[in-house]
C-alpha cells in the first residue's frame, strides 16, 4: 500500500468524530509530538486547535531532527523539508486562518523551513568545497587551494548569517507554539562554530595576513561635500602592497572602489545618497582576488552625514489616462549639476503609488505605472517623490497635472442551486471586458438579504443565500458596484432567476475558491473508500463546528433593507487578492509552468499585477531576470542554485544599483514563492520595477575585480 500524503492525512484528522463523537489518540508519537485532548473535553475551538497543534508538531519535529543531524554531518534527515513539510505547512495555514483569522505562525514556519533549507544546502556545499580544498593542498596546487579557501570564507559567512536567522526563528516558534526548540538552537550554533573554526584554520594555512588603515579628512560628509577616505595597505611584515583593490562599504553597500598606489596608499571619495543622517561608519576593505596569497582586511572611519536638497524634474507625454492604462514617466535627480545615482524615486497618481525605481548613474530613471481603480476620476497630480526623510538627500517632489477618465463597467449575475442554497456568481468588468479585481460588489435578493464580497483576479464574485429566501422558486437578484473613490463608473444589474431554469449540484465538486472545510468535505466524500483504513486522529467534528460557525456568521449578515438605504457591509479580509492558503493557486511550483512565447515578460508581470495577482507577477519578473542574467554570463548548464545562491553569485556582475535591485527582487520572490500569504501589491510593484532595473543594468564588473596577484 502506497504511503498516504500528508495533505490527505491532515483531513483524515478532521474525520469520523461527527459519526461517533470519539477522539482517537495518535499512536507511535515521538518525544517531540504534541498530544491531543479528547474533543468532547476541549470545546468547539479546541478541536480545531488540536489539529493545528498536530500539524505544528509534525513540522517542528522535522526542524528539530534536521538541526540535530546536520550538526553531526548527516543531512539525510533534512530531506523531509522538501517532502512532507510544505504539505503540512499548506494545511496548517488553512487551519490557522480558519481559527484565528491570521497566518502569523504559518509565516514563521514557512520562513523557518526555507531558512533551514538554505542552511542545509550551504553546509553541504561547504563540506564538499572543504574536501576539494584538502585534495588541492595534498596535490600542491596552491592557486586552486587559495581559490577554494576564498569560497570557504564566503560560505562560512553565509552559514553564520543563516544560523543567526534560524536561531531567531526557532525562538519565535517557541513563543508562538510553546514548543521547546532548545536542542535545535544549540545544534545550529554548534554547526556555525564548527564551520568558523575550520575556516580560520584554512586561512592560517594558505594566506598571508594584511593590515589596512582608514582616515577621513573631514568629520562631516554630504552629497555636496563628499568625505575623502585615505589609508595604507601592508602585509604582516610592513611591506606595502601596490595595485590592490580597496572598496568603501556603508550599511552593507559598496559606495566606492579604488586601488592602492606603489606605496600601498589609497584615496577614495564617499558621497552619501541614501545613508541616514547623523553618525555613520565607513568601512574600508581590501578585497583580494580569488588566487591572491593575501588575507583580506578591514578598517573603519567615522563621519557625520548631513542632508542636502537635490533638484528633481519629471517628464511625461500623458495628458489623459483611464483604468489600466500605462503611465510612463522619466525623472532626473541632481544637485548643482552632479547626477545622483541609486536614489529611490516613486511615481504617484493622486495618492496612489503606481511605480518605484532607482536612478541610474546619470541620475535619470524610467517609471512605468498603470492606472489603478482606486484613483478618483478628474484632474489629478502625477508626482515623482525622491528619497525619504532623514537621509542624505532630503525628500523633494515634482508634479504634472493629468486627467483621469471615468471607465464604464459591467456586472453580470448567474445562479445555481446547491442543496438548500442559492449560489450567486458573476463578474465585474470594464465595458470592453477587462476584469476588475479587488473591488467590493453587493448582491441583493428580493429586497430581503444583502451580501457583499470582493472580486478576485478575474473580476469574479460568489455569494450564497438560503434557498428559502423570498418567493418559493423565484428570486429577484440585483448586483451592484459603486465606489466614489474610484475611476470606475457605478453599475447595477437586475435579473429574475427561476429554480426550474437553474443548474443544480450535489455539492461534491468544490472549486478552489472555497475554504478549507468545504475542500476537506469534498475530498473525504470523494475518497472515503480508498482512505477509510488509515489510522489517525479522527476529528471531523472540527469541520462541522467550523461549518456551523460560518453558517451562524452568514445568518448574522442577513438584514431587511432599511428605509435609509444603509447596507450591512462585509469587512474585506487581509490579502483578498491572494487565493486561499492550500488551494494550490499561487505556489512556488507554478512559476515553472508559466509560458508566454514571444512575449515581453515584464509586460506580462505588470499585467498580472494589474489583474490582482501580485505573487505571480513577482515570480514572472524574477524568472525573466534570472533567465537574462544566465544568458549574459553564458551559463548553459542546468541551474539548480537557490534564489539566494544565485544572488550571491551574480551580484558582483552588476553595478551597485543593479545589485540592490536584484536583492529587492530576490527578497520579494522568496515571499511570493514560499510564504503562504504571498506578497502584497506594494511589495510586488517594487519587485517588478526592481526586475526592470536589473534587466537595464550593465553586466560589467567593478574595476579591480581582475586582480590576480
Amino acid at each position: 500500500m502506497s504511503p498516504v500524503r500528508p495533505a490527505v492525512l491532515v483531513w483524515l484528522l478532521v474525520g469520523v468524530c461527527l459519526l461517533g463523537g470519539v477522539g482517537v489518540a495518535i499512536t507511535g508519537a515521538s518525544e517531540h509530538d504534541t498530544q491531543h485532548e479528547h474533543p468532547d473535553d476541549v470545546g468547539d475551538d479546541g478541536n480545531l486547535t488540536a489539529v493545528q497543534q498536530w500539524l505544528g508538531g509534525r513540522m517542528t519535529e522535522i526542524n528539530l531532527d534536521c538541526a540535530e543531524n546536520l550538526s553531526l554531518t548527516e543531512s539525510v534527515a533534512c530531506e523531509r523539508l522538501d517532502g512532507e513539510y510544505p504539505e503540512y505547512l499548506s494545511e496548517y495555514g488553512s487551519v490557522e486562518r480558519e481559527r484565528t483569522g491570521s497566518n502569523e505562525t504559518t509565516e514563521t514556519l514557512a520562513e523557518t523551513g526555507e531558512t533551514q533549507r538554505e542552511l542545509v544546502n550551504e553546509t553541504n556545499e561547504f563540506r564538499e568545497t572543504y574536501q576539494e580544498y584538502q585534495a588541492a593542498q595534498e596535490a600542491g596546487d596552491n592557486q586552486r587551494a587559495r581559490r577554494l579557501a576564498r569560497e570557504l570564507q564566503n560560505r562560512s559567512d553565509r552559514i553564520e548569517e543563516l544560523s543567526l536567522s534560524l536561531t531567531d526563528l526557532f525562538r519565535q516558534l517557541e513563543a508562538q507554539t510553546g514548543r521547546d526548540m532548545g536542542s535545535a538552537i544549540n545544534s545550529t550554533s554548534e554547526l556555525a562554530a564548527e564551520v568558523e573554526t575550520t575556516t580560520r584554520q584554512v586561512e592560517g594555512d594558505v594566506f598571508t595576513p594584511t593590515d589596512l588603515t582608514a582616515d577621513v579628512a573631514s568629520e562631516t560628509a554630504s552629497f555636496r561635500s563628499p568625505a575623502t577616505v585615505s589609508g595604507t595597505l601592508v602585509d604582516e611584515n610592513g611591506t606595502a602592497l601596490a595595485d590592490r583593490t580597496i572598496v568603501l562599504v556603508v550599511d552593507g553597500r559598496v559606495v566606492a572602489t579604488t586601488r592602492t598606489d606603489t606605496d600601498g596608499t589609497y584615496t577614495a571619495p564617499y558621497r552619501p545618497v541614501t545613508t541616514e543622517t547623523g553618525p555613520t561608519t565607513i568601512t574600508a576593505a581590501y578585497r583580494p582576488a580569488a588566487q591572491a596569497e593575501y588575507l583580506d582586511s578591514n578598517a573603519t572611519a567615522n563621519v557625520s552625514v548631513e542632508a542636502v536638497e537635490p533638484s528633481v524634474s519629471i517628464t511625461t507625454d500623458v495628458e489623459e489616462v483611464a483604468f489600466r492604462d500605462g503611465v510612463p514617466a522619466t525623472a532626473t535627480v541632481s544637485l548643482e549639476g552632479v547626477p545622483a545615482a541609486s536614489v529611490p524615486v516613486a511615481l504617484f497618481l493622486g495618492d496612489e503609488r503606481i511605480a518605484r525605481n532607482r536612478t541610474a548613474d546619470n541620475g535619470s530613471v524610467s517609471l512605468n505605472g498603470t492606472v489603478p481603480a482606486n484613483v478618483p476620476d478628474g484632474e489629478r497630480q502625477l508626482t515623482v517623490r525622491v528619497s525619504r526623510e532623514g537621509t542624505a538627500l532630503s525628500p523633494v517632489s515634482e508634479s504634472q497635472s493629468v486627467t483621469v477618465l471615468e471607465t464604464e463597467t459591467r456586472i453580470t449575475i448567474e445562479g445555481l442551486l446547491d442543496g438548500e442554497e442559492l449560489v450567486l456568481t458573476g463578474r465585474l468588468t470594464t465595458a470592453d471586458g477587462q476584469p476588475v479585481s479587488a473591488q467590493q460588489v453587493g448582491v441583493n435578493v428580493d429586497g430581503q438579504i444583502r451580501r457583499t464580497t470582493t472580486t478576485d483576479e478575474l473580476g469574479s464574485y460568489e455569494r450564497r443565500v438560503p434557498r428559502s429566501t423570498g418567493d418559493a422558486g423565484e428570486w429577484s437578484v440585483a448586483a451592484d458596484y459603486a465606489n466614489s473613490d474610484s475611476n470606475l463608473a457605478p453599475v447595477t444589474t437586475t435579473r429574475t432567476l427561476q429554480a426550474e431554469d437553474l443548474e443544480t449540484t450535489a455539492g461534491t465538486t468544490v472549486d478552489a475558491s472555497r475554504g478549507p472545510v468545504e475542500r476537506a468535505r469534498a475530498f473525504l466524500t470523494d475518497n472515503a473508500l480508498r482512505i477509510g483504513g488509515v489510522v489517525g486522529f479522527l476529528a471531523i467534528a472540527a469541520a462541522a463546528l467550523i461549518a456551523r460557525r460560518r453558517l451562524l456568521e452568514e445568518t448574522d449578515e442577513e438584514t431587511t433593507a432599511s428605509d435609509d438605504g444603509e447596507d450591512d457591509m462585509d469587512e474585506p479580509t487581509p490579502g483578498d487578492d491572494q487565493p486561499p492558503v492550500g488551494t494550490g493557486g499561487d505556489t512556488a511550483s507554478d512559476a515553472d509552468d508559466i509560458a508566454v512565447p514571444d512575449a515581453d515578460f515584464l509586460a506580462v508581470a505588470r499585467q498580472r499585477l494589474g489583474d490582482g495577482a501580485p505573487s505571480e507577477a513577482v515570480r514572472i519578473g524574477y524568472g525573466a531576470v534570472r533567465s537574462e542574467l544566465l544568458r549574459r554570463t553564458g551559463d548553459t548548464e542546468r541551474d539548480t542554485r537557490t534564489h539566494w545562491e544565485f544572488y550571491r553569485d551574480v551580484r558582483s556582475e552588476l553595478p551597485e544599483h543593479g545589485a540592490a535591485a536584484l536583492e529587492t527582487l530576490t527578497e520579494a520572490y522568496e515571499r511570493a514563492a514560499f510564504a503562504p500569504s504571498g506578497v502584497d501589491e506594494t511589495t510586488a510593484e517594487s519587485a517588478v520595477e526592481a526586475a526592470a532595473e536589473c534587466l537595464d543594468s550593465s553586466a560589467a564588473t567593478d574595476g579591480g575585480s581582475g586582480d590576480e596577484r
Side-chain angles (χ1 to χ4, degrees):
M1 180 177 178
S2 61
V4 178
R5 294 170 64 246
V8 175
L9 181 56
V10 166
W11 291 113
L12 285 175
L13 301 182
V14 220
V16 184
C17 283
L18 245 187
L19 305 178
V22 179
V24 181
I26 293 180
T27 59
S30 74
E31 60 177 331
H32 299 308
D33 288 345
T34 301
Q35 300 299 318
H36 299 292
E37 299 177 76
H38 193 291
D40 291 340
D41 298 332
V42 294
D44 289 2
D45 186 62
N47 294 316
L48 196 55
T49 300
V51 175
Q52 184 179 348
Q53 289 174 343
W54 187 90
L55 290 163
R58 301 289 72 72
M59 284 183 284
T60 52
E61 180 182 342
I62 293 172
N63 295 139
L64 288 160
D65 288 346
C66 176
E68 292 169 3
N69 283 277
L70 187 61
S71 66
L72 300 174
T73 73
E74 294 290 339
S75 62
V76 176
C78 299
E79 292 178 358
R80 296 173 68 195
L81 287 169
D82 295 314
E84 303 103 302
Y85 198 95
E87 297 188 45
Y88 287 138
L89 181 66
S90 176
E91 301 304 338
Y92 186 98
S94 297
V95 175
E96 184 185 24
R97 177 168 289 279
E98 189 68 37
R99 192 176 72 82
T100 68
S102 76
N103 275 137
E104 181 180 359
T105 305
T106 302
E107 291 176 0
T108 304
L109 285 163
E111 189 175 356
T112 301
E114 175 59 18
T115 304
Q116 196 166 31
R117 285 187 200 94
E118 272 204 79
L119 180 60
V120 171
N121 293 337
E122 203 67 62
T123 301
N124 288 338
E125 292 289 344
F126 180 91
R127 288 166 176 165
E128 291 176 9
T129 302
Y130 182 64
Q131 291 177 351
E132 294 178 26
Y133 160 79
Q134 289 178 309
Q137 280 282 78
E138 291 175 3
D141 189 343
N142 293 332
Q143 283 196 342
R144 176 171 169 76
R146 287 196 290 266
R147 182 179 64 78
L148 291 168
R150 303 279 185 212
E151 187 174 340
L152 288 172
Q153 286 179 317
N154 292 334
R155 295 197 181 281
S156 175
D157 290 343
R158 182 58 181 159
I159 287 171
E160 182 180 10
E161 292 174 7
L162 290 168
S163 298
L164 291 173
S165 297
L166 190 58
T167 53
D168 286 344
L169 288 166
F170 285 151
R171 291 189 178 97
Q172 287 184 44
L173 286 180
E174 281 189 327
Q176 291 173 338
T177 67
R179 184 72 172 219
D180 182 4
M181 304 298 290
S183 63
I185 292 172
N186 293 336
S187 296
T188 302
S189 299
E190 290 170 4
L191 171 66
E194 170 208 329
V195 168
E196 173 73 10
T197 299
T198 300
T199 304
R200 298 290 84 82
Q201 178 183 343
V202 168
E203 290 175 349
D205 290 343
V206 297
F207 295 130
T208 299
T210 60
D211 182 54
L212 181 68
T213 63
D215 295 293
V216 287
S218 172
E219 295 181 353
T220 62
S222 70
F223 187 87
R224 178 182 285 113
S225 302
T228 300
V229 183
S230 59
T232 59
L233 176 67
V234 298
D235 66 12
E236 61 182 342
N237 298 317
T239 303
L241 298 179
D243 199 26
R244 303 287 166 170
T245 300
I246 307 295
V247 297
L248 301 186
V249 180
V250 177
D251 295 333
R253 293 175 290 107
V254 175
V255 296
T257 302
T258 187
R259 296 181 77 83
T260 57
D261 61 17
T262 55
D263 297 326
T265 62
Y266 71 92
T267 301
Y270 166 51
R271 189 187 299 273
V273 176
T274 58
T275 308
E276 293 185 358
T277 54
T280 297
T281 298
I282 306 171
T283 299
Y286 165 45
R287 295 277 183 85
Q291 298 175 359
E293 62 181 291
Y294 295 105
L295 194 62
D296 58 333
S297 55
N298 299 322
T300 60
N302 296 315
V303 296
S304 180
V305 173
E306 298 178 341
V308 294
E309 185 174 299
S311 300
V312 59
S313 64
I314 177 176
T315 303
T316 181
D317 296 330
V318 170
E319 294 182 359
E320 292 184 340
V321 293
F323 174 62
R324 297 185 73 172
D325 282 352
V327 186
T330 59
T332 302
V333 185
S334 62
L335 178 63
E336 298 173 356
V338 179
S342 197
V343 181
V345 180
L347 181 66
F348 287 79
L349 181 59
D351 294 329
E352 294 291 321
R353 190 180 71 194
I354 61 174
R356 186 169 66 176
N357 205 344
R358 286 178 178 263
T359 56
D361 292 340
N362 63 359
S364 67
V365 59
S366 296
L367 299 155
N368 297 286
T370 54
V371 180
N374 296 329
V375 176
D377 54 282
E379 186 173 324
R380 297 288 173 253
Q381 294 298 306
L382 185 64
T383 305
V384 289
R385 296 180 187 174
V386 175
S387 194
R388 59 186 176 85
E389 198 69 48
T391 60
L393 293 182
S394 299
V396 292
S397 63
E398 186 69 21
S399 300
Q400 183 171 321
S401 294
V402 298
T403 299
V404 179
L405 304 177
E406 185 179 71
T407 298
E408 290 188 25
T409 56
R410 301 284 185 270
I411 191 167
T412 61
I413 302 171
E414 301 292 340
L416 64 82
L417 295 172
D418 183 2
E420 295 304 312
E421 290 184 308
L422 172 63
V423 184
L424 301 170
T425 62
R427 293 186 71 208
L428 177 65
T429 66
T430 60
D432 60 358
Q434 295 297 313
V436 178
S437 63
Q439 294 296 304
Q440 197 171 71
V441 299
V443 180
N444 289 273
V445 183
D446 282 341
Q448 296 185 23
I449 292 178
R450 175 176 173 82
R451 298 286 171 78
T452 57
T453 187
T454 303
T455 56
D456 65 15
E457 64 183 43
L458 298 177
S460 301
Y461 69 87
E462 175 185 318
R463 290 302 286 177
R464 292 168 172 255
V465 299
R467 182 172 180 169
S468 58
T469 304
D471 295 334
E474 183 174 297
W475 304 271
S476 177
V477 182
D480 61 78
Y481 166 74
N483 182 357
S484 60
D485 294 325
S486 170
N487 52 63
L488 300 174
V491 63
T492 299
T493 297
T494 302
R495 183 178 176 187
T496 299
L497 302 177
Q498 294 183 335
E500 60 188 23
D501 298 329
L502 300 183
E503 178 186 352
T504 61
T505 176
T508 56
T509 302
V510 182
D511 63 38
S513 66
R514 296 203 199 173
V517 174
E518 288 87 346
R519 287 186 282 113
R521 185 188 297 121
F523 177 85
L524 290 171
T525 300
D526 294 342
N527 297 275
L529 292 178
R530 282 185 289 151
I531 64 179
V534 179
V535 176
F537 175 72
L538 305 175
I540 229 174
L545 293 168
I546 298 168
R548 185 180 68 186
R549 185 160 62 242
R550 281 189 168 177
L551 180 59
L552 290 173
E553 290 171 354
E554 290 189 353
T555 302
D556 290 339
E557 292 173 344
E558 298 177 11
T559 60
T560 301
S562 59
D563 293 336
D564 59 8
E566 292 183 0
D567 300 327
D568 184 15
M569 305 288 282
D570 290 347
E571 288 294 327
T573 58
D576 277 336
D577 58 344
Q578 301 297 331
V581 176
T583 64
D586 198 8
T587 61
S589 61
D590 293 341
D592 296 333
D593 298 331
I594 297 168
V596 186
D598 303 319
D600 180 343
F601 280 91
L602 277 184
V604 175
R606 291 189 177 105
Q607 178 70 33
R608 299 306 294 139
L609 185 57
D611 290 343
S615 293
E616 185 177 333
V618 171
R619 294 200 306 272
I620 294 172
Y622 177 80
V625 168
R626 185 154 177 160
S627 176
E628 174 62 15
L629 292 179
L630 287 172
R631 185 193 66 76
R632 288 181 183 178
T633 58
D635 191 346
T636 58
E637 298 297 322
R638 178 173 173 80
D639 185 20
T640 60
R641 288 170 288 185
T642 68
H643 47 290
W644 284 114
E645 289 173 340
F646 181 79
Y647 163 73
R648 291 193 300 276
D649 290 346
V650 305
R651 62 184 171 185
S652 61
E653 303 297 324
L654 298 170
E656 180 186 344
H657 63 276
L662 181 59
E663 183 178 13
T664 297
L665 177 60
T666 303
E667 289 174 347
Y669 169 75
E670 181 173 68
R671 292 196 64 79
F674 301 105
S677 58
V679 297
D680 57 29
E681 187 173 349
T682 299
T683 301
E685 287 176 353
S686 301
V688 172
E689 294 310 316
E693 184 170 357
C694 289
L695 294 177
D696 289 340
S697 296
S698 168
T701 307
D702 283 342
S705 62
D707 181 6
E708 294 297 325
R709 295 178 302 112

